[in-house]
Amino acid sequence: MTVNQLILEMGRSGSFGAGRLAKAVDIYEQMLRDDATIFFGFSGAMVPAGMKQIVIEMIKRDMVDVIVSTGANMVHDFVEAYGGRHFKGTCQTDDSKLYSEKIDRIYDVFIPDQYFVDCFDKPMLGICQEIYGEMMKNKNSPRLSISEFFKKVGMLMKPCEDSIIYAAYKADKPIYVPALNDSCFGLLWDRKYPSVKEVPKIQLDVMGDMENFFEMFRASKKTGALVLGGGVPKNFIFQAAFTTGKKLDYAIQITMDRPEPGGLSGATLEEAVSWGKVKSKASYVQVIGDTTICFPIMVAAVMERIFEK
Amino acid sequence: MDFVQQMKIVANIQVSQLVEAMRSSGVLGAGRVAKAAEVLADLLKDPDYTVFLSLAGPVVPGGLRSVVAELIKRRAVDAVVSNGANITHDLVEALGFRHVKGNLAADDVKLGEEGIGRIGDVYVEQQAFQALEKESYRLLDRLLQEKTERKLGVYEILEGLGRLLVDGDSLLAAASQTGVPVFSPGIYDSMLGLHLWTYGRSKGLTVDLAKDMDRMAELVFNSKKIGAVILGGGMPKHYVLGASMLKGGVDAALQITMDRPETGSLSGATLEEAISWRKAKPEGSLVTVTADFTIVFPLLVAYALSKLP
């Protein structure tokens, strides 16, 4: 049985999680066939969970147009590009012991502290310095937006088949990280931090991306959002749909979060209709599930529909 | 320690390849799905296992009726323990009524007026339960013609009902044909149970739950190894794990639930918790997948069946 055959069976039942996941596959397929601009919200521990290559494949196959990510996913992507690894650990563990052994835990994933120093801080500080030097040489201003920054990181990092940042640079797809400072990137600006001798001299302009991000919405024939988790990336995409009047024609969200506390991550997509972020007649579905389970199934089924026949 | 491999998804893959990709990452929800798939495959392959399938939550309305019936027909499971609702809904479908794709955000007052009952995004006509009353009386009459005893275990009643059904997709019919006992300790807590109660009071049929315990104990004592496949939690989960305590606990078990462990209720309890109660062996293969079983169970079954000779 192929994955798409399984999804078609789920669609025949059409109820509960199975029905929602099958609908998500249908909507993603429609989004691609309809040539919608696809905004990809990428939050949660997706790179540590092993989702990186799936995203790279989606970028290469033109299954996403714009990436909006947490800082953390880009940090972990870069760490792996520079030789760091995430390890299969356990959730039943002595966290005090892990602390003394300098191992950080993301549920059942372990990552040694040292990787953040060797595979992030050091090479990233070097790249920041290179960017600074180049900018001062060319236009005498060290100021750039976050998406410009990621383009330059992609250009200057070591060529790597194994990185979202590099794949996006090669495919000319922008990466937006609205809360970049809420990650190891931000920590590079702590001059007292042991692995930071000199903070980067580049100036990242937090508002620098807003105009071009809105412009991408305005220029879109149709708009689609594919959101893993929720958080800042979900809001960043949705608020642009609202302010530009380009309400989403398509929306898919996979989350385990609940709507009752009122937080955006768990908010239903119907709620987004009331805000004018999602068209009331849009094709949308929220899959209540673990992204690490549902996302690979969805992508495998969509690829089977689009690329094999 | 193994590192997390980034999953590779390409177009046109089999479900078993997708599960292998999940195993290569091996962490978080995907890792647990891969582990559960392996446990299920082992349970189906190894003839030493006596396998209990525990059904709580809307398994039949969720479209998994044929999946369960298929496992029974292949004698992949040795006993089924279900809530009353799934037996009820199995009979409802056997009567020709259907579960209809509805809407989670429905107007329930209106549905009530129209005589439609809602289960999440599934609708079922209340008329079905009136028809069920008539039909269950007719079937029980026929059953009593065959039996001299008037005190029957639930499994005996369900075996008798299953034998009278003509429906290739019915799990009850499949169970009667293959001699797989179906237990339902909370049968009275269902529509079928209500009919059974009124019927029993007027025609002198009583349910003897001790007979069910005898049969459960027999299965447990005659087993070489005990396996449990648990959808949802509830009383069926407790019944299976409780009976397995008679022989030191289950040797292998998988559970798929969205419930959480923090509130202390059994449905959300991890299978590790069962070790402390001697309901699961410490060296057992135990995996709890936190997911919607309408998504994950078909995936696991497709994988496990592909591994059978």
Side-chain angles (χ1 to χ4, degrees), chain A residues 1-6 10-21 45-54 57 61 80 85-89 91-92 103 106-110 162 256 270 287-290 292-294 296-297 299-300 303-304 307-308, chain B residues 1-16 18 22-33 58-64 99 101-105 119-122 257-258 270 272 289-296 298-299 302 306:
Chain A
M1 185 180 232
T2 68
V3 177
N4 187 45
Q5 286 168 338
L6 176 70
M10 290 187 184
R12 270 170 19 93
S13 136
S15 56
F16 312 141
R20 285 164 179 254
L21 185 56
M46 295 293 99
V47 172
M51 302 290 123
K52 184 179 71 178
Q53 276 296 345
I54 303 176
E57 192 66 20
R61 288 179 182 263
E80 287 205 351
R85 286 285 172 266
H86 297 86
F87 291 92
K88 297 176 190 180
C91 58
Q92 290 158 319
I103 292 170
I106 307 166
Y107 196 69
D108 59 3
V109 177
F110 291 171
D162 206 21
M256 285 284 262
E270 284 79 10
V287 182
I288 309 300
D290 186 320
T292 66
I293 300 172
C294 296
I297 303 178
V299 173
M303 279 188 189
E304 193 175 328
F307 300 110
E308 295 296 310
Chain B
M1 200 184 284
D2 267 359
F3 68 84
V4 177
Q5 289 178 39
Q6 297 293 338
M7 282 184 214
K8 289 197 170 63
I9 301 290
V10 292
N12 212 7
I13 55 172
Q14 299 288 314
V15 171
S16 55
L18 176 69
M22 289 182 170
R23 192 193 318 287
S24 72
S25 116
V27 292
L28 302 173
R32 290 190 289 275
V33 164
V59 177
V60 172
L64 297 178
H99 295 88
K101 298 174 194 183
N103 186 352
L104 194 63
I119 309 163
D121 58 5
V122 171
T257 183
M258 284 289 259
T270 61
E272 283 74 18
V289 185
T290 307
D292 185 321
F293 62 63
T294 63
I295 297 175
V296 168
L299 181 76
S306 78

